[in-house]
Amino acid sequence: MGTSFIKNIPLAAGEITIVKGRHAADIMRYSCEMARSLQKKGIGSLIVNTGLSINRFREAAKTAGIDWPLTEHQYGSDQTNTYRAQYKYIGNAPLLIHNSYAGDLIGEMALIYQIVIEAKVSVVFITSWEWSSEGWRRKERLMFALRKLLEERQIVLVVFSQSRTNTIAGEYDRGGVGKLATIAGDVVELEPSEKLAAAVQRVSPIAFRDEEEQQLFAGSAQLVSNEINKIPGVLSSSEAPEILRPIFSDIRTST
């Protein structure tokens, strides 16, 4: 299974990535930055805000370069549909925002399904797992609903959490995100990811003495790339899940 990285966060179709962060504002800002980066590459995403107020979210969105105010977009034409509501929509590649404050995200899953299908959303962000459900029964139902969504639509799900436990992908996280960790493909810490992403951006470009040296370097790099692609389990960009192929222009792959 190939894994793509954006802002040093692993993304894989049909999988859950849990991102651990300490501060709610940092989490919101980072989710907005990731969604904006995806939008620039033509990949649709949906941010489900379960924690911060609309005012704090607006500031985080502006910091990430998302224009405000946003235009409104309606989903569902049936006047009797309980889940018919207005949502924010940006540009040709969808970047949608849904505010869920009731602690009952499971009750809104029919609407989430509708948005994912109609807007062709490929990546869904849940900004705070701790605020997604009021009570463990709703959270249990939400996990099963999210797993079904992943299987049926093969989207990428990024779940942010402020829990302080040592969460390990594939293991039950007692006192933290609980059973969600058992079906997660990756668990990453937000702070180290930000530092590494910033360090990569500061790397100086290679300076060549002349065009001949540049061509020689390019040929060597292609040979190395060809050898890497021969290693079993390592995916090339053309073998990656279709919805994530556009991301490969400036990110790496791993198994």
Side-chain angles (χ1 to χ4, degrees):
M1 179 187 68
T3 301
S4 300
F5 290 74
I6 188 162
K7 289 183 66 64
N8 209 45
I9 299 296
L11 306 176
E15 296 291 339
I16 298 174
T17 297
I18 297 174
V19 182
K20 305 287 289 297
R22 294 185 178 183
H23 199 281
D26 291 339
I27 288 174
M28 176 57 77
R29 174 184 55 78
Y30 206 71
S31 64
C32 288
E33 289 176 355
M34 290 184 67
R36 183 63 173 142
S37 296
L38 289 166
Q39 186 191 35
K40 289 179 179 179
K41 300 178 188 303
I43 299 172
S45 59
L46 167 66
I47 303 175
V48 180
N49 173 30
T50 58
L52 294 184
S53 67
I54 189 65
N55 290 330
R56 295 178 68 190
F57 172 79
R58 184 185 294 112
E59 293 304 315
K62 286 182 177 179
T63 301
I66 299 174
D67 294 333
W68 202 283
L70 310 177
T71 56
E72 291 187 339
H73 187 82
Q74 290 189 343
Y75 281 89
S77 57
D78 185 359
Q79 296 291 338
T80 63
N81 187 348
T82 305
Y83 299 103
R84 184 175 180 274
Q86 291 186 339
Y87 287 82
K88 307 297 184 180
Y89 185 87
I90 306 172
N92 295 325
L95 194 168
L96 298 110
I97 297 148
H98 170 53
N99 292 295
S100 177
Y101 296 130
D104 186 29
L105 188 55
I106 179 59
E108 300 170 345
M109 282 304 298
L111 178 57
I112 300 300
Y113 260 87
Q114 191 174 12
I115 293 174
V116 168
I117 294 170
E118 290 188 18
K120 296 180 174 60
V121 166
S122 300
V123 184
V124 174
F125 299 92
I126 297 178
T127 60
S128 178
W129 183 247
E130 290 74 26
W131 286 94
S132 65
S133 307
E134 183 183 12
W136 68 271
R137 291 184 184 276
R138 285 190 174 94
K139 192 162 287 186
E140 283 278 308
R141 292 170 56 209
L142 178 60
M143 279 189 288
F144 282 98
L146 290 174
R147 187 167 187 176
K148 181 180 179 182
L149 177 63
L150 288 171
E151 289 295 324
E152 291 184 359
R153 306 305 306 179
Q154 285 298 296
I155 64 166
V156 177
L157 178 61
V158 181
V159 179
F160 290 88
S161 170
Q162 290 178 270
S163 68
R164 298 297 184 90
T165 57
N166 181 28
T167 308
I168 300 174
E171 296 185 9
Y172 186 86
D173 185 29
R174 189 174 301 278
V177 297
K179 191 183 295 184
L180 185 71
T182 65
I183 58 174
D186 289 281
V187 178
V188 296
E189 295 284 345
L190 180 57
E191 187 175 351
S193 297
E194 285 196 274
K195 290 181 178 178
L196 183 54
V200 170
Q201 292 175 359
R202 289 196 299 268
V203 174
S204 301
I206 299 174
F208 300 101
R209 287 177 296 183
D210 50 40
E211 185 176 350
E212 181 179 356
E213 186 180 71
Q214 182 175 356
Q215 292 177 350
L216 179 62
F217 177 85
S220 301
Q222 184 61 53
L223 288 174
V224 172
S225 177
N226 292 341
E227 291 303 314
I228 290 175
N229 286 333
K230 293 177 184 178
I231 301 174
V234 176
L235 299 183
S236 66
S237 60
S238 62
E239 296 171 316
E242 184 175 353
I243 64 168
L244 296 178
R245 287 177 192 169
I247 309 178
F248 274 80
S249 60
D250 60 353
I251 52 180
R252 58 193 175 87
T253 61
S254 69
T255 53

